[in-house]
Amino acid sequence: MTDPTPGPPGPPRPLASSAATPADSAELVAALRRHGIDADDSPLTRALYSSDASIYRVLPQVVARPRHRDDLAAVLAVATAASAPVTLRGAGTSIAGNAIGTGIVVDTRGLDRVLEIDPEARTARVEPGVVHAALQREAAPHGLRYGPDPSTHTRCTLGGMLGNNACGSRALGYGRTADTMRDATVLWGDREAGPGEVEARLRGLVADELAHVRTRFGRFTRQVSGYSLEHLLPEAPAGGLARFLAGTEGTLGLVTEMTVALVPETDRHLVVLGYPSMADAADAVPALLGAAGGAGAAGGHMVACEGLDARLADLVRARRALPGLPRGRGWLLVELAGDEGAELLPGVVAASGALEHRVVTDPVEAAALWRIREDGAGLAARSLTRPAHAGWEDAAVPPESLGAWLRDFEELLAAHGLDTVPYGHFGDGCVHARIDFDFSDGPARFREFLIACATRLADYGGSLSGEHGDGRARSELLPLMYEATSLRLFGQVKAACDPAGLLNPGVLVDPAPLDADLRPVRRERADLVSRPTLRLAEDGGSLGAAVHRCTGVGKCVAAPGVLAGVMCPSFQASAQEKDSTRGRARVLQEAVTGGLSGGLADPAVHEALDLCLSCKGCASDCPTGVDMATYKSEVLHQTYRGRRRPRSHYTLGRLPLWAALTARIGASGLANAGLRLRPTAAVAKAVAGIDRRRSVPRFATTTVRRWARTEEMGGVQPDAPDVWLWADSFTDHFRDAQAHAALHYLTAAGLRVRVIDERACCALTWVTTGQLDQARRILSGTVATLAPYVDSGVPVIGLEPSCLATLRADAAELVAEPQRARAERVAGGVLTLAELVDRLDLPLPDLTGVRVVAQPHCHQHAVIGWHTDEALLRRAGAEVTRVLGCCGLAGNFGVEQGHYETSVAVAETHLLPAVRAARAADARTVVLADGMSCAIQLDDLAGVASVHLAELLAEPPTAGPGGPGKVVGGAGPDTIAR
């Protein structure tokens, strides 16, 4: 949208009421589909899009998913003809309720083309659905980057950033979204206006109030609330109309294309400064800005100055290792760019007044610290004694007032009996805060606190929003920030651009009440949800509280290839909201609160859960700890209790039972022979509900436990072993080679090893298929069996990571109270092979020169962690490439009929490309996969015979200079306490 030649503005038509009666949903869907637009009004889809990352819930009539920019014009035409409201949505990470609406919600993520990168002009021309991280990838080969980088950069769209005028951690140096705007193509809400007519109206409105606009708008960088009229002043730089669109929250027009500025990528230098409190850290900001020469030019000055509360760090430290932090309870993460930034660093430290400081030079450590900030919203939501919520989460003041405002803010919280963990963009005066609002008696206290905060903030000349927009949370509060003239101008701007009032109604102008449509006031309905069989201890035994852990920040909907974790593999494969952790959580929230009439048994629930792999990736990767695998188990349990189940639940869901029966009657060899015959195998697969394209694993002709009873180990079966080997069902019946390798390696290391003779199944397949009554019974028996071995003090190891993870994560969730303490002892007492090797400092083979591509099992990643295994391999000299993401088989999921395509697509996101690349570089590359599922997937899809860690240690594929079997390090068996 280039600036037109100013002309006399036409009179804006009066703003229509947003209460106009729209067409019904079926008519809207039909009209949109006639234009070739994917449109849906199913209960599932409406539930998926009923919330964004805010605390608001509004069910849309229809969701439209355009795939071409021209589709937006068709959406607007349909909406205008039907008097249907239109709300644009990018990644759905809007925190103020900016991206939900009653009419047509438009998911713009299909408009995801980077149209042009101009390295000379340092600009990018993009569609509104381009994800921030995708633009960074396109710009990087040119030595450029897009400056603003919100914490949601792995999934937020450029159009969404424009809507909110998003900023991010480095806006101090690289500017806000508004500062990057160079041009935009926009479809104004007024479809009857001629070319340039709306733009002329806007300039005319500002021309009539020049003095007012000059003194009331653009007073400091984070004045984001309301419409940013300063960009329409005559003296504003060219492109002001495009910049003006930033922060308008989709209330004026639909942007179909935008051109943004890029900046050179430079080296950055990070120093962490420690202070007694967050307020003390805030007090230091003006001096730091002065020492760095002020905010501004990338490549020289300070580009980030972020506040971090100790409670956030403590929460992360409980999950994973953190780099050392300087003394203090509040920190500033200060980043300077370029060579000039390095020169300024000593002066910044000298001016900081910090208790201690630490210059972070290791990129891995720096990334770990920035990850805390990126996960801040989700972490803060679970950091207090009550769940914390958005609503008042990004107020901003001029930086020189930040310390005083923080102290006043803390007083307001205390006066209202509330708590928070503040953090945010302190260099810009912007404070993020998730607050533990108590909605138990309704929204009155929420309203009272927000009004009190807005009133006090006005004393500082602050902004209700510093980057997230006003949305439903703060639009009603604008009269406390702006006087009558500004509010009148906002109304005139809306009327000039969207006279029918159809674009995102209830936001900014003619606002909805800030306490209307609040999601937390909706209560779990006892008639729809039974008391969970799973303990759900952290959520008070409430499935409703558990599924409401999801705040909607959307880390699970990251663009493919940019998220370093497992979550969420099915979304990575399909890019469909219903296949994300967030989407499933939203559907479950609707189910438990009555939004879906069938409750947990509603078809929409089971459609959303169908492609959940139960990988548990979200349990560790989601900042709020959503554990969809656990919730799925509970939903399946409640749905099918006392009812007929899907066939695969009886077959694959009870696989260890059938394997044990096959072994007991001595039919393993016969079964293997039969399954090698194509007709027999086809019948067996059809009966079991296995996809015909899948292989069937070979049964061990002699189980590990039976072999141990009959074979002599080292000539004499010892009575007092150094190590017990737990032969879980998969190891015992299918993966005996791994057990023998582990026994060989440990015996060669001088240890006396015995196999636990009793059968002890973890009940994993019963858990994942929701057969929880049986799972409880099986797990209770297993805990009783293993407890004496663990309590003896002799190490116990397990070789199948999924089974060991089930012991650690599910046993205490399922077993009855009298056994819970024993279950927790067992959970902490059974080790992985790597943990045993590390604990006893056992000798390692020399793996120098060995390239290992490792696929950690998802359950190990989520519950146990793979860091010990990785450190062990590197210590042995191996060159390790860790595959990110899930293999795609995930137990019974990938072999079930109806899941094959998704299973393959998941494997193609990370695993198969990594294996192909490694094998192309070196055909001798070892593919490591401890999990049975991962090994089957590799064999089925890539023809790769993977190895278990035990096999790699027992029979290293290549050797170092000392020859085969050379040992490096290790204390040896003599150091082991007998």
Side-chain angles (χ1 to χ4, degrees):
M1 178 184 63
T2 54
D3 292 2
T5 302
R13 294 193 297 279
L15 187 66
S17 168
S18 60
T21 303
D24 66 29
S25 300
E27 292 171 348
L28 284 174
V29 168
L32 290 166
R33 288 178 177 172
R34 281 196 294 271
H35 288 277
I37 298 170
D38 176 13
D40 188 358
D41 66 343
S42 68
L44 169 64
T45 298
R46 296 177 69 214
L48 291 170
Y49 289 84
S50 63
S51 297
D52 48 14
S54 71
I55 57 173
Y56 295 93
R57 169 197 177 268
V58 177
L59 279 174
Q61 281 185 283
V62 173
V63 173
R65 303 182 184 94
R67 292 291 180 265
H68 190 276
R69 286 167 289 163
D70 293 346
D71 292 344
L72 290 176
V75 168
L76 188 58
V78 169
T80 302
S83 297
V86 176
T87 301
L88 294 182
R89 176 181 173 117
T93 57
S94 304
I95 298 178
N98 328 58
I100 52 177
T102 56
I104 304 172
V105 168
V106 183
D107 184 340
T108 62
R109 284 177 293 181
L111 306 176
D112 59 356
R113 293 189 302 160
V114 176
L115 301 170
E116 180 187 21
I117 300 283
D118 187 336
E120 298 299 320
R122 292 181 180 171
T123 58
R125 190 164 57 89
V126 300
E127 292 180 336
V130 169
V131 171
H132 180 284
L135 177 57
Q136 297 292 44
R137 281 201 306 267
E138 295 279 344
H142 305 287
L144 300 172
R145 60 166 285 146
Y146 184 59
D149 56 350
S151 60
T152 55
H153 60 90
T154 61
R155 60 272 193 196
C156 68
T157 64
L158 270 291
M161 291 179 66
L162 177 69
N164 291 354
N165 197 7
C167 302
S169 298
R170 296 184 176 90
L172 189 64
Y174 299 140
R176 309 158 298 176
T177 301
D179 301 315
T180 73
M181 290 297 296
R182 295 296 178 265
D183 201 356
T185 303
V186 61
L187 303 171
W188 299 109
D190 187 354
R191 296 182 66 247
E192 298 178 14
E197 183 178 344
V198 170
E199 291 89 337
R201 291 175 192 167
L202 292 171
R203 292 196 177 279
L205 290 172
V206 172
D208 290 341
E209 297 286 354
L210 287 177
H212 180 82
V213 173
R214 285 172 176 147
T215 56
R216 293 298 299 165
F217 293 88
R219 291 174 293 119
F220 68 106
T221 58
R222 290 301 182 105
Q223 184 183 347
V224 168
S225 284
Y227 293 130
S228 298
L229 297 175
E230 69 273 17
H231 297 301
L232 300 178
L233 288 166
E235 64 268 25
L241 278 165
R243 288 193 295 277
F244 163 73
L245 285 170
T248 57
E249 304 184 37
T251 60
L252 306 180
L254 312 185
V255 173
T256 63
E257 182 182 309
M258 47 198 288
T259 301
V260 297
L262 304 175
V263 296
E265 183 63 279
T266 62
D267 293 333
R268 294 191 292 272
H269 314 277
L270 176 64
V271 60
V272 185
L273 307 167
Y275 297 89
S277 70
M278 293 298 287
D280 292 313
D283 289 338
V285 167
L288 292 171
L289 293 174
H301 296 165
M302 187 183 298
V303 295
C305 180
E306 296 294 290
L308 177 65
D309 190 280
R311 285 174 289 180
L312 281 184
D314 292 343
L315 195 66
V316 175
R317 196 176 284 111
R319 292 183 172 194
R320 60 179 184 267
L322 273 185
L325 289 164
R327 182 162 52 96
R329 296 298 296 168
W331 297 286
L332 293 177
L333 276 62
V334 176
E335 193 174 74
L336 298 104
D339 294 337
E340 185 179 345
E343 294 171 3
L344 290 170
L345 193 57
V348 168
V349 172
S352 68
L355 295 173
E356 287 182 1
H357 76 277
R358 179 171 178 242
V359 177
V360 180
T361 57
D362 183 351
V364 175
E365 291 191 356
L369 292 171
W370 283 117
R371 183 181 169 190
I372 303 174
R373 271 295 293 109
E374 291 178 5
D375 290 347
L379 293 170
R382 309 301 302 184
S383 60
L384 305 172
T385 55
R386 293 187 302 234
H389 303 281
W392 181 270
E393 80 288 321
D394 72 320
V397 296
E400 60 270 18
S401 301
L402 182 59
W405 162 244
L406 263 182
R407 292 179 176 90
D408 276 3
F409 182 46
E410 289 170 357
E411 288 181 7
L412 286 165
L413 288 163
H416 289 80
L418 299 172
D419 197 5
T420 191
V421 179
Y423 64 100
H425 313 300
F426 278 28
D428 286 308
C430 182
V431 179
H432 292 317
R434 288 295 171 103
I435 299 171
D436 63 340
F437 295 116
D438 183 1
F439 294 100
S440 59
D441 57 355
R445 285 187 285 176
F446 173 74
R447 165 177 279 277
E448 179 185 345
F449 177 77
L450 261 61
I451 291 173
C453 276
T455 303
R456 186 78 63 91
L457 184 73
D459 296 338
Y460 290 91
S463 180
L464 298 168
S465 170
E467 66 176 336
H468 295 158
D470 298 305
R472 295 171 180 271
R474 291 178 288 273
S475 292
E476 189 189 358
L477 299 174
L478 285 172
L480 297 175
M481 177 180 168
Y482 289 107
E483 69 304 303
T485 301
S486 296
L487 297 172
R488 174 175 53 78
L489 279 169
F490 292 165
Q492 290 175 319
V493 165
K494 175 73 169 175
C497 301
D498 178 32
L502 295 179
L503 300 184
N504 211 3
V507 172
L508 290 173
V509 173
D510 192 18
L514 62 84
D515 54 356
D517 303 313
L518 291 171
R519 186 160 32 89
V521 303
R522 292 167 59 81
R523 295 285 174 255
E524 182 178 345
R525 282 179 46 179
D527 61 320
L528 294 175
V529 188
S530 302
R531 181 173 179 80
T533 298
L534 291 162
R535 188 180 175 204
L536 300 178
E538 292 186 6
D539 298 290
S542 166
L543 182 61
V547 300
H548 275 92
R549 276 176 171 264
C550 178
T551 61
V553 295
K555 190 175 180 180
C556 53
V557 296
V562 301
L563 185 63
V566 171
M567 178 185 70
C568 176
S570 50
F571 177 83
Q572 294 287 299
S574 75
Q576 296 296 313
E577 184 74 20
K578 75 177 180 66
D579 299 324
S580 69
T581 304
R582 178 181 68 182
R584 295 178 182 116
R586 291 291 184 244
V587 173
L588 288 174
Q589 289 166 10
E590 290 294 308
V592 300
T593 56
L596 292 170
S597 59
L600 296 180
D602 196 280
V605 171
H606 291 268
E607 185 177 349
L609 291 177
D610 179 51
L611 296 185
C612 171
L613 284 78
S614 295
C615 69
K616 277 193 176 291
C618 50
S620 61
D621 294 353
C622 172
T624 59
V626 169
D627 184 355
M628 194 54 61
T630 293
Y631 310 159
K632 180 177 180 179
S633 294
E634 185 64 47
V635 170
L636 293 174
H637 174 68
Q638 293 197 28
T639 299
Y640 293 114
R641 178 189 283 169
R643 299 185 180 93
R644 184 176 180 180
R645 289 176 165 272
R647 183 171 67 242
S648 64
H649 287 197
Y650 298 109
T651 54
L652 299 172
R654 300 179 183 180
L655 178 61
L657 175 65
W658 306 125
L661 179 61
T662 301
R664 189 176 303 125
I665 64 176
S668 299
L670 182 62
N672 289 336
L675 291 172
R676 281 196 293 269
L677 299 174
R678 202 171 279 180
T680 308
V683 172
K685 291 176 187 179
V687 169
I690 297 174
D691 188 280
R692 61 179 175 78
R693 291 161 287 189
R694 282 294 179 190
S695 65
V696 179
R698 179 193 65 84
F699 290 96
T701 53
T702 302
T703 67
V704 174
R705 290 183 300 118
R706 179 175 294 177
W707 174 86
R709 291 188 210 114
T710 58
E711 292 290 324
E712 290 187 348
M713 297 170 58
V716 179
Q717 193 72 279
D719 292 326
D722 299 309
V723 178
W724 286 106
L725 172 64
W726 167 46
D728 59 83
S729 295
F730 296 122
T731 300
D732 199 25
H733 295 289
F734 298 101
R735 308 199 81 196
D736 53 319
Q738 287 83 335
H740 293 305
L743 292 168
H744 175 75
Y745 165 70
L746 295 173
T747 302
L751 297 178
R752 295 171 297 187
V753 190
R754 286 189 63 186
V755 176
I756 294 174
D757 187 59
E758 298 96 327
R759 181 169 185 262
C761 179
C762 72
L764 170 62
T765 58
W766 283 267
V767 172
T768 57
T769 52
Q771 302 178 76
L772 297 184
D773 290 331
Q774 300 95 317
R776 170 178 285 169
R777 185 177 65 252
I778 294 166
L779 261 174
S780 296
T782 295
V783 166
T785 297
L786 295 180
Y789 295 96
V790 170
D791 293 342
S792 73
V794 175
V796 180
I797 63 167
L799 298 177
E800 170 58 44
S802 62
C803 295
L804 181 50
T806 303
L807 277 188
R808 292 195 182 178
D810 298 310
E813 279 282 308
L814 269 170
V815 300
E817 183 61 45
Q819 283 190 298
R820 192 158 293 138
R822 186 161 58 179
E824 290 170 352
R825 292 200 309 275
V826 169
V830 182
L831 309 176
T832 67
L833 177 60
E835 288 171 337
L836 178 76
V837 172
D838 184 65
R839 177 180 294 187
L840 301 184
D841 194 18
L842 297 181
L844 298 173
D846 186 355
L847 298 180
T848 302
V850 176
R851 293 188 176 186
V852 176
V853 172
Q855 170 66 63
H857 193 285
C858 293
H859 287 193
Q860 180 166 0
H861 163 85
V863 177
I864 303 168
W866 197 71
H867 51 277
T868 303
D869 302 63
E870 184 170 14
L872 179 153
L873 291 168
R874 294 190 187 281
R875 194 163 73 244
E879 179 184 322
V880 182
T881 299
R882 177 178 179 172
V883 176
L884 301 174
C886 178
C887 76
L889 193 74
N892 58 294
F893 174 86
V895 300
E896 287 179 344
Q897 293 170 1
H899 292 164
Y900 181 81
E901 284 75 15
T902 298
S903 177
V904 173
V906 171
E908 287 288 358
T909 59
H910 293 287
L911 175 60
L912 296 183
V915 170
R916 292 189 198 109
R919 286 281 170 104
D922 185 346
R924 297 167 299 172
T925 296
V926 174
V927 180
L928 182 70
D930 285 359
M932 177 174 168
S933 294
C934 308
I936 292 173
Q937 185 78 315
L938 283 160
D939 189 29
D940 273 6
L941 302 185
V944 170
S946 60
V947 301
H948 189 282
L949 177 63
E951 295 172 302
L952 186 58
L953 296 179
E955 298 182 40
T958 61
K966 177 185 174 185
V967 169
V968 296
D974 292 339
T975 65
I976 301 168
R978 299 296 184 192

Coordinates of all heavy atoms in Angstrom, one line a residue, residues 48-74:
L48 N -11.8 -26.0 18.3 CA -10.4 -25.7 18.1 C -10.0 -24.2 18.1 O -9.0 -23.8 18.6 CB -9.9 -26.3 16.8 CG -9.8 -27.9 16.7 CD1 -9.6 -28.3 15.3 CD2 -8.8 -28.4 17.7
Y49 N -10.9 -23.4 17.5 CA -10.7 -22.0 17.3 C -11.4 -21.1 18.3 O -11.5 -19.9 18.1 CB -11.0 -21.6 15.8 CG -10.0 -22.2 14.8 CD1 -10.2 -23.5 14.4 CD2 -9.0 -21.4 14.4 CE1 -9.3 -24.0 13.4 CE2 -8.1 -21.9 13.5 CZ -8.2 -23.2 13.0 OH -7.3 -23.8 12.1
S50 N -12.0 -21.7 19.3 CA -12.7 -20.9 20.3 C -11.9 -20.1 21.2 O -12.4 -19.1 21.8 CB -13.6 -21.9 21.1 OG -12.8 -22.7 21.9
S51 N -10.6 -20.4 21.3 CA -9.7 -19.6 22.2 C -8.4 -19.4 21.4 O -8.0 -20.1 20.5 CB -9.4 -20.4 23.4 OG -10.6 -20.6 24.2
D52 N -7.7 -18.3 21.8 CA -6.4 -18.1 21.4 C -5.5 -18.3 22.7 O -5.8 -19.2 23.5 CB -6.2 -16.7 20.8 CG -6.8 -15.6 21.6 OD1 -7.1 -15.8 22.8 OD2 -6.9 -14.5 21.1
A53 N -4.4 -17.5 22.9 CA -3.6 -17.7 24.0 C -4.1 -16.9 25.2 O -3.3 -16.7 26.2 CB -2.1 -17.4 23.7
S54 N -5.3 -16.4 25.1 CA -5.8 -15.5 26.2 C -6.7 -16.4 27.1 O -6.8 -17.6 26.9 CB -6.7 -14.4 25.5 OG -7.9 -14.9 25.0
I55 N -7.4 -15.7 28.0 CA -8.3 -16.4 28.9 C -9.8 -16.3 28.4 O -10.7 -16.5 29.1 CB -8.2 -15.9 30.3 CG1 -8.5 -14.4 30.4 CG2 -6.9 -16.2 30.9 CD1 -8.5 -13.8 31.8
Y56 N -9.9 -15.9 27.1 CA -11.3 -15.7 26.6 C -11.7 -16.9 25.7 O -10.8 -17.6 25.1 CB -11.3 -14.4 25.8 CG -11.1 -13.2 26.7 CD1 -9.9 -12.6 26.9 CD2 -12.2 -12.6 27.4 CE1 -9.7 -11.6 27.7 CE2 -12.0 -11.5 28.2 CZ -10.8 -11.0 28.4 OH -10.6 -9.9 29.2
R57 N -13.0 -17.1 25.6 CA -13.5 -18.2 24.8 C -14.7 -17.6 24.1 O -15.7 -17.2 24.7 CB -14.0 -19.4 25.7 CG -14.8 -20.4 24.9 CD -15.5 -21.3 25.9 NE -16.4 -22.3 25.2 CZ -17.7 -22.1 24.9 NH1 -18.3 -21.0 25.2 NH2 -18.4 -23.0 24.3
V58 N -14.7 -17.7 22.7 CA -15.8 -17.3 21.9 C -15.9 -18.3 20.8 O -15.0 -18.4 20.0 CB -15.6 -15.8 21.3 CG1 -16.8 -15.5 20.4 CG2 -15.5 -14.8 22.4
L59 N -17.0 -19.0 20.7 CA -17.2 -19.9 19.6 C -17.5 -19.3 18.3 O -18.4 -18.5 18.2 CB -18.3 -20.9 19.9 CG -18.1 -22.0 20.9 CD1 -19.4 -22.8 21.2 CD2 -17.1 -23.0 20.3
P60 N -16.6 -19.5 17.2 CA -16.9 -18.9 15.9 C -18.1 -19.7 15.3 O -18.4 -20.8 15.6 CB -15.6 -19.1 15.2 CG -15.0 -20.4 15.8 CD -15.4 -20.3 17.2
Q61 N -18.7 -19.1 14.3 CA -19.7 -19.8 13.5 C -19.0 -20.7 12.5 O -19.4 -21.8 12.3 CB -20.6 -18.8 12.7 CG -21.7 -18.2 13.5 CD -22.5 -17.3 12.5 OE1 -22.1 -16.2 12.2 NE2 -23.7 -17.8 12.2
V62 N -17.9 -20.1 11.9 CA -17.3 -20.8 10.8 C -15.8 -20.5 10.9 O -15.4 -19.4 11.3 CB -17.8 -20.3 9.4 CG1 -17.0 -20.9 8.3 CG2 -19.3 -20.7 9.2
V63 N -15.0 -21.5 10.5 CA -13.5 -21.2 10.3 C -13.2 -21.4 8.8 O -13.6 -22.4 8.2 CB -12.7 -22.2 11.1 CG1 -11.2 -22.1 10.8 CG2 -12.9 -22.0 12.6
A64 N -12.5 -20.4 8.3 CA -12.1 -20.4 6.9 C -10.6 -20.5 6.8 O -9.9 -19.8 7.6 CB -12.6 -19.1 6.2
R65 N -10.1 -21.3 5.9 CA -8.6 -21.5 5.7 C -8.2 -21.1 4.3 O -8.1 -22.0 3.5 CB -8.2 -22.9 6.1 CG -8.7 -23.3 7.5 CD -8.2 -24.8 7.8 NE -8.6 -25.3 9.1 CZ -9.7 -26.0 9.3 NH1 -10.5 -26.2 8.2 NH2 -10.0 -26.4 10.5
P66 N -8.0 -19.9 4.0 CA -7.6 -19.5 2.6 C -6.2 -20.0 2.3 O -5.4 -20.2 3.1 CB -7.6 -18.0 2.7 CG -7.4 -17.6 4.1 CD -8.1 -18.7 4.9
R67 N -6.0 -20.3 1.0 CA -4.7 -20.7 0.5 C -4.1 -19.8 -0.5 O -3.0 -20.0 -1.0 CB -4.9 -22.1 -0.2 CG -5.3 -23.2 0.8 CD -4.1 -23.5 1.7 NE -4.4 -24.6 2.7 CZ -4.8 -24.4 3.9 NH1 -5.0 -23.1 4.3 NH2 -5.1 -25.4 4.7
H68 N -4.9 -18.7 -0.9 CA -4.3 -17.7 -1.8 C -4.8 -16.4 -1.4 O -5.9 -16.2 -0.7 CB -4.9 -18.0 -3.2 CG -4.2 -17.2 -4.3 ND1 -4.6 -15.9 -4.6 CD2 -3.1 -17.4 -5.1 CE1 -3.8 -15.4 -5.5 NE2 -2.9 -16.3 -5.8
R69 N -4.0 -15.3 -1.6 CA -4.3 -14.0 -1.2 C -5.7 -13.5 -1.7 O -6.4 -12.8 -1.0 CB -3.2 -13.0 -1.6 CG -1.9 -13.1 -0.8 CD -0.8 -12.4 -1.5 NE -0.3 -13.1 -2.7 CZ 0.4 -12.6 -3.7 NH1 0.8 -11.3 -3.6 NH2 0.8 -13.3 -4.7
D70 N -6.0 -13.9 -2.9 CA -7.3 -13.5 -3.5 C -8.5 -14.1 -2.7 O -9.6 -13.5 -2.7 CB -7.5 -14.0 -4.9 CG -6.5 -13.3 -5.9 OD1 -5.9 -12.3 -5.5 OD2 -6.3 -13.8 -7.0
D71 N -8.2 -15.2 -1.9 CA -9.3 -15.7 -1.1 C -9.8 -14.8 0.0 O -10.9 -14.8 0.5 CB -8.8 -17.0 -0.4 CG -8.6 -18.2 -1.4 OD1 -9.1 -18.1 -2.5 OD2 -7.9 -19.2 -1.0
L72 N -8.9 -13.9 0.4 CA -9.2 -12.9 1.5 C -10.3 -11.9 1.0 O -11.2 -11.6 1.7 CB -8.0 -12.1 2.0 CG -7.0 -13.0 2.8 CD1 -5.8 -12.1 3.1 CD2 -7.6 -13.5 4.1
A73 N -10.2 -11.6 -0.3 CA -11.2 -10.7 -0.9 C -12.6 -11.4 -0.9 O -13.6 -10.8 -0.6 CB -10.8 -10.2 -2.3
A74 N -12.5 -12.7 -1.2 CA -13.8 -13.5 -1.2 C -14.4 -13.6 0.2 O -15.6 -13.5 0.3 CB -13.5 -14.9 -1.8

